Amino acid sequence: MDKIIQIIATELNIKKSQVENTIKLIDEGNTIPFIARYRKEVTGGLSDEVLRTFGERLNYLRNLEKRKEEVTNSIEEQGKLTEEIVKDLENAITLAEVEDIYRPYKQKKKTRATVAKAKGLEPLAEIILAQEETKNLQEIAAEYISEEKEVKTVEEAIQGALDIIAEMISDNPEYRKLIKQIVYSKGIIKTTATKPEEKSAYEMYYDYSENVNKIPSHRILAINRGEKEEFLKVKIEKEEDKILEKIEKDIIKGETQFADYLKTTIQDSFKRLIEPSIDREIRSDLTEKAEEQAIKVFGKNAKQLLLGAPIKGITVM
C-alpha cells in the first residue's frame, strides 16, 4: 500500500496524507462525488476532477498489485520463479508488462510448438538456438525421427524444433517491449475502404494514414466505428526491417549452419505470432485512452452547461 500511496502522491502532486485520508474514505464506501462535495476538510480540498483520476488510478494500481501476486504464485507453483522474474514483476508499471512477463509460463492451448514439444523436439530446438554444434543439422535431426512420436522425417523434426523457437521468441517480454516502443514511436495507423464505391460517414478514412503517437482520440473512435460497421480496414504499419534486425542481432551468433534457419524462424515468429497480438494490444490501449478522453471532454462540456446562468422558460434538467 505504501508504494501505491507514493505513486498517486507523485502523479497527482499531492501530499501523502491527502492520499492516505482519501483512500480511507473510499474504502469506507464513500463515492467520489460524495467525497468531493462533503469531505473537503479530510481530503485537503481535492477537486472532483482530481478525485476521479485518484479513484481510477487507485483501482488500476490495486488490480496491478493483485495481478502481480497471482502471476508470482502461478510461476512459483510451476517451480520456475527466479530472482530476475521477481525483480521484473516488481518493476512492471502496467498490466501489459505483467502479462508479457507471464506469457512464457501461461498454460497454452494446442499450438504448433506444444505439439512439437509433445513429440520430444525441445532438445533439438535448444541445440539450434545454442548454435554451437558442428555436426550437420540433418544428422542431428535424424536422431529425433520416431514412429511412436509421429516424427517421420528429418524435415519434420527440424520444422517442429523451429516452431518451438518461434514461440520462445514470441514469448520473450523484452522483444515485445522493444516492438511496442518502436510502434508507438514510429508506427502509422492506415485505413482503407472495404467498399470504395459506397458513400458513408467515413469517406475521409477511405485512404488515410496518421502516426500512432499523434492520432487524436476522436479519430481513433471514428476509425473503430468505421471498422465495426465494415466500411474500413485498419492496419498498423511498422518498421518491420528494424524490428527483425534487432531480434536477429540478439539471437543469431554469426554465420553458422543455423543462421538461415533462425532468420526464417524470427520472421515467422514476428508475422504469425507477435505482430497480430501486438497490434491488438496497441489498438486496445489507444481505444481505452480515447474513450477516457471522450468522457473527460463530455464531462467538461456538461459542467459548463450546467453551471451556466438560468434561461427563462427553459428546463436544463
Side-chain angles (χ1 to χ4, degrees):
M1 180 58 82
D2 288 343
K3 186 177 179 181
I4 290 176
I5 290 170
Q6 185 59 57
I7 290 171
I8 294 176
T10 301
E11 288 182 352
L12 299 182
N13 195 25
I14 58 179
K15 296 176 183 176
K16 286 178 69 176
S17 59
Q18 288 176 288
V19 179
E20 291 166 351
N21 292 340
T22 305
I23 289 175
K24 186 178 179 183
L25 288 170
I26 291 171
D27 288 346
E28 287 172 354
N30 296 293
T31 65
I32 295 297
F34 177 86
I35 295 170
R37 178 69 180 84
Y38 299 109
R39 291 293 180 267
K40 288 185 182 293
E41 75 286 352
V42 180
T43 67
L46 297 181
S47 68
D48 54 350
E49 189 174 345
V50 170
L51 284 167
R52 276 196 298 273
T53 303
F54 187 113
E56 290 167 3
R57 286 300 286 153
L58 176 62
N59 186 53
Y60 184 91
L61 291 169
R62 281 179 164 173
N63 286 336
L64 179 63
E65 290 304 312
K66 182 182 176 184
R67 186 59 181 151
K68 285 182 181 182
E69 187 177 337
E70 291 169 350
V71 167
T72 300
N73 291 339
S74 176
I75 299 174
E76 189 171 29
E77 285 170 7
Q78 297 174 44
K80 297 177 180 178
L81 189 66
T82 64
E83 288 183 12
E84 186 180 357
I85 294 171
V86 171
K87 187 177 178 181
D88 287 343
L89 285 169
E90 284 177 358
N91 293 335
I93 59 174
T94 66
L95 285 166
E97 285 182 62
V98 174
E99 295 306 325
D100 282 345
I101 294 167
Y102 185 42
R103 184 176 291 272
Y105 309 97
K106 271 184 179 177
Q107 287 295 105
K108 289 183 171 65
K109 297 178 182 178
K110 188 176 180 180
T111 65
R112 281 161 51 170
T114 58
V115 170
K117 286 178 181 177
K119 292 181 178 181
L121 295 172
E122 200 163 8
L124 179 58
E126 290 169 358
I127 289 169
I128 295 171
L129 204 53
Q131 303 161 73
E132 294 171 352
E133 183 64 65
T134 55
K135 189 177 176 182
N136 185 277
L137 178 57
Q138 276 69 27
E139 292 180 43
I140 301 169
E143 298 171 16
Y144 292 86
I145 293 175
S146 166
E147 286 292 331
E148 182 187 347
K149 294 183 178 179
E150 298 182 352
V151 182
K152 298 174 184 176
T153 66
V154 166
E155 289 72 22
E156 281 185 24
I158 293 173
Q159 186 55 58
L162 297 179
D163 286 339
I164 293 170
I165 294 170
E167 192 168 273
M168 290 169 64
I169 293 168
S170 171
D171 285 343
N172 187 305
E174 291 304 314
Y175 297 153
R176 300 181 75 85
K177 185 177 180 180
L178 168 71
I179 293 166
K180 286 177 190 175
Q181 287 172 344
I182 291 173
V183 176
Y184 276 119
S185 173
K186 301 290 185 180
I188 295 171
I189 295 260
K190 184 171 178 60
T191 60
T192 53
T194 55
K195 312 164 191 173
E197 70 290 343
E198 193 170 327
K199 298 284 184 182
S200 78
Y202 309 103
E203 287 180 62
M204 72 168 285
Y205 300 112
Y206 278 9
D207 186 13
Y208 184 83
S209 61
E210 189 165 358
N211 290 355
V212 168
N213 60 4
K214 291 182 180 177
I215 189 165
S217 299
H218 68 275
R219 286 202 193 115
I220 290 289
L221 298 177
I223 287 169
N224 288 352
R225 289 194 300 271
E227 183 182 40
K228 187 176 181 181
E229 294 174 25
E230 298 184 355
F231 285 104
L232 301 175
K233 286 186 288 187
V234 185
K235 181 182 179 183
I236 300 179
E237 294 185 342
K238 51 192 77 65
E239 295 182 324
E240 185 175 326
D241 290 344
K242 182 178 179 180
I243 291 167
L244 294 175
E245 183 184 339
K246 285 185 176 293
I247 298 175
E248 287 169 9
K249 188 176 179 181
D250 189 61
I251 292 176
I252 299 174
K253 304 172 183 177
E255 292 298 324
T256 68
Q257 62 170 321
F258 305 102
D260 287 340
Y261 287 106
L262 287 171
K263 191 169 184 178
T264 302
T265 302
I266 291 166
Q267 291 171 350
D268 170 57
S269 178
F270 176 72
K271 296 301 293 183
R272 180 170 59 88
L273 302 172
I274 302 175
E275 187 175 36
S277 65
I278 290 285
D279 283 0
R280 283 194 299 272
E281 287 176 28
I282 288 175
R283 290 200 60 197
S284 176
D285 184 43
L286 290 172
T287 299
E288 186 178 334
K289 289 176 180 175
E291 288 173 343
E292 286 176 4
Q293 183 62 26
I295 290 168
K296 286 178 181 177
V297 170
F298 176 81
K300 191 178 290 185
N301 292 341
K303 183 176 181 180
Q304 292 302 316
L305 286 171
L306 294 172
L307 291 178
I311 304 173
K312 186 177 180 180
I314 296 178
T315 303
V316 177
M317 286 186 70

